[in-house]
Each structure stands twice: as structure tokens, then as C-alpha cells.
Amino acid sequence: MRVDEKHQIMTAENNNQIEGLKKGVPSVWQEVLTLNGPGLLGYATRMVGDKATAEDVVQDALVNVFRSIEKFDGRCTIKSWLYRAIRNRAIDEIRRRKRFIDIGDDPENEYFEDHDGHWREDCFEWDGHAARELDSKRLLKVVHDEINNLPHAHREVLLMKEVEGLDVKEICDALEISAGNLRIRIHRARSVLRAAVWQSLNKE
Amino acid sequence: MYRRCDEVSDKISEIIDREAAFLTRFRFYTHLMVCSKCRDYFNQFKLLKSASREPNPGELPADFDKVMGFVMDEVEKELDKNRVDDTLQGS
Ligand SMILES: [Zn+2]
């Protein structure tokens, strides 16, 4: 509820801005793009996997947003609208280049005993190896590499939520999903990421 | 408190995102007090969350100025067209 209120206020504050966008006032466009552009480009880069393609994706998507801005109905923030546009264009690109990976199984399915829901004895290593790496730069690199290797459906929620720091409402609007659905997707994405990171750390 | 570790693991994201209700938090943390595996698992999620929020050390950002320049050129071009239309309509 607090989130909704915040958004109502933000939407009211953004009315002038939206008017400016729809009228095509260059300074308003410049302002909106300067504010959101770097985040959108970072998101796109990590969605498609390389800078040059990401630049094309963002260019295309933003020009497209500019040309169809009259379709913006104000039911979400302009930020969500922009992310949605970049995301859809990035997914076209991912499909075209076959970087599209099925989301696979939920790793947590294998961790617990069915009858009492407790951890299975053999579920994973608890030798503390990972804990010794906690503060290292290498951990950071492994985490980011593994985010980049995730199936896109997991990658996109983590990029929006953790890396770009969008709030729940903004992500739900960008992905056109409910808050409950987002919560499940985030948890699943984190579980898959955790398994991948720990596997990668324990390999070495 | 939660009796099953799989129930606890289901709630981890709600907890670290601070979206869980009081009762959920209570049942969650009381379980952690008696279960070291869930505690470890929870700490791994917290660690991942904070690592995800740090910038990637090995990654240079893409060239935003280039993209911005291109998009603003398109904006200006389109507006020039509209300006001509306005003049024709005598406004
Ligand atoms: Zn437990």
C-alpha cells in the first residue's frame, strides 16, 4: 500500500514530464533519457551479452518509444515503460541469436526430504570453502559471471531487482506480472544463481 | 516456528527483501536459531544479494553517449518534420 501511494505521487509529479514527452519537447526527452539511459543500457548489455548489440537494442527501442509515445497511458511510470520496451526488444534479439535457454528445474526440489521437509544429508557441501571467499573480488566476479549465464527469465528479474535497483511495482509493470508472481520468480532466480555460484566456487 | 526447512527456504527471499509479515519473520528467525543449515543457506542468499548489487569489477559500461546522440538526433529529425507540418497548418 505504501508502494502504491508513493507511485501515485510520483505519477502526479511526472504529469508535466509526460506531457513534454508526448509533445516531443527535446529537453524533456534529454532529461528522461539521461536519467534512465545508463541503467537501461547496463540492463540491455547483460541481457544480450555484448555491448555493440546492446547499443543497437537500446537505440532501436528508444527510437521506437519516441515514435509511439502517444500509446503511453500513464498506468505505470515512464521508467517501467522504458524497461518494458528495452526488455521486449532484447528478448527478440535473444531469440534471434538463440541465446534463449529454458529456465530448467528448481534446484530446491532436490534439497529436502519429502516426508519431513528437512535438509537431505547429501544435498550440498557445507565445508565452509565458500565462506572463506566472502570478501574477495573473485566472489564478485563469479556472482556477476553467473548472473550473465542464467537463463534470461532468471537473469532479467535479478538485473532489474538487484543490479538496477527497480522497486517491486516498477518491475511488475515492466514485466506485466503480479507481485506474487515476481516474488516466486525472484526466489527461484536466486536459488538457481546460488547453486551456480557455489558450484563454480567449489570447482576451484 | 517453522518445522520444515523447505518452508523456511521458501520464505528467504521475502525475508531478505523485507516484504515478510511479522508472524512470518518470527517463525523464520526462531527456526534459524535451532537449524544451522538453514542459517548457512540464508546467509548465502544475503551474501548473493549484496554481491549482486556491487558493480561487476571486470565490466566496462557500454557507450551511452553514442546511443544518446543517436536517439536525440532522431528526436530532432522527427520534430523538424512536425514543425514543417505546423507551419503548413498555419499555427
Ligand atoms: Zn532448517
Side-chain angles (χ1 to χ4, degrees):
Chain A
M1 183 154 161
R2 243 182 28 221
V3 174
D4 281 353
E5 281 168 14
K6 184 179 136 207
H7 270 270
Q8 266 171 15
I9 293 162
M10 278 173 58
T11 310
E13 283 174 355
N14 282 344
N15 274 346
N16 285 339
Q17 199 178 48
I18 289 159
E19 196 97 322
L21 291 175
K22 289 198 171 178
K23 283 186 182 149
V25 180
S27 62
V28 179
W29 275 93
Q30 180 119 27
E31 187 187 316
V32 169
L33 296 183
T34 310
L35 184 69
N36 295 293
L40 293 167
L41 193 56
Y43 169 73
T45 307
R46 300 185 64 181
M47 281 294 279
V48 297
D50 78 277
K51 281 180 232 170
T53 313
E55 287 167 2
D56 289 346
V57 162
V58 173
Q59 256 171 31
D60 278 10
L62 290 182
V63 170
N64 211 350
V65 166
F66 171 69
R67 293 208 171 119
S68 58
I69 189 66
E70 74 278 1
K71 286 191 204 146
F72 179 68
D73 52 14
R75 275 191 290 182
C76 62
T77 61
I78 191 73
K79 186 173 175 183
S80 296
W81 188 258
L82 293 172
Y83 269 91
R84 192 191 297 177
I86 304 289
R87 186 246 177 190
N88 289 341
R89 180 68 187 75
I91 286 191
D92 287 346
E93 193 60 33
I94 290 167
R95 287 218 166 89
R96 203 176 64 74
R97 296 167 59 206
K98 308 221 175 1
R99 200 173 178 250
F100 199 88
I101 317 167
D102 191 67
I103 58 167
D105 295 330
D106 183 350
E108 290 189 346
N109 284 343
E110 295 173 11
Y111 294 165
F112 306 100
E113 300 285 1
D114 286 337
H115 65 284
D116 61 2
H118 288 177
W119 289 98
R120 276 174 42 184
E121 281 304 315
D122 58 344
C123 65
F124 50 82
E125 293 294 311
W126 296 93
D127 66 357
H129 175 93
R132 286 199 298 276
E133 301 289 340
L134 296 194
D135 299 315
S136 75
K137 234 185 194 164
R138 201 167 67 83
L139 174 76
L140 225 50
K141 188 173 181 312
V142 171
V143 169
H144 283 277
D145 287 350
E146 293 302 335
I147 290 177
N148 291 343
N149 289 335
L150 288 173
H152 92 276
H154 293 328
R155 195 163 67 243
E156 68 181 3
V157 290
L158 291 182
L159 290 178
M160 286 184 184
K161 170 107 184 133
E162 317 283 38
V163 181
E164 304 302 336
L166 271 67
D167 67 32
V168 171
K169 175 97 169 51
E170 285 169 339
I171 303 172
C172 289
D173 287 342
L175 298 179
E176 298 177 273
I177 58 175
S178 71
N181 196 321
L182 176 64
R183 188 184 282 164
I184 292 166
R185 283 189 53 184
I186 284 175
H187 185 65
R188 179 83 174 271
R190 283 177 179 150
S191 312
V192 173
L193 176 63
R194 193 212 63 83
V197 165
W198 259 251
Q199 197 174 31
S200 173
L201 287 175
N202 282 310
K203 227 168 26 195
E204 292 156 34
Chain B
M1 76 172 189
Y2 290 117
R3 297 196 170 194
R4 297 175 64 110
C5 300
D6 56 0
E7 279 183 293
V8 170
S9 80
D10 275 349
K11 303 292 180 206
I12 286 182
S13 283
E14 275 175 65
I15 296 279
I16 62 175
D17 292 336
R18 297 173 186 283
E19 288 166 6
F22 173 78
L23 189 61
T24 305
R25 290 204 310 270
F26 179 77
R27 298 171 80 190
F28 183 90
Y29 284 110
T30 43
H31 181 100
L32 288 201
M33 291 197 297
V34 299
C35 178
S36 67
K37 279 203 166 186
C38 281
R39 211 153 54 222
D40 283 351
Y41 195 59
F42 175 60
N43 284 331
Q44 292 178 4
F45 272 76
K46 282 207 298 194
L47 176 71
L48 276 188
K49 183 174 167 120
S50 57
S52 307
R53 294 182 158 215
E54 294 288 321
N56 185 353
E59 197 170 73
L60 293 167
D63 188 355
F64 177 62
D65 288 343
K66 193 170 117 195
V67 174
M68 180 79 173
F70 181 89
V71 176
M72 286 312 291
D73 282 352
E74 290 296 304
V75 171
E76 302 276 354
K77 253 191 269 169
E78 199 84 6
L79 290 176
D80 279 345
K81 257 193 268 168
N82 292 343
R83 235 167 259 144
V84 176
D85 293 346
D86 283 353
T87 330
L88 288 179
Q89 283 160 13
S91 59

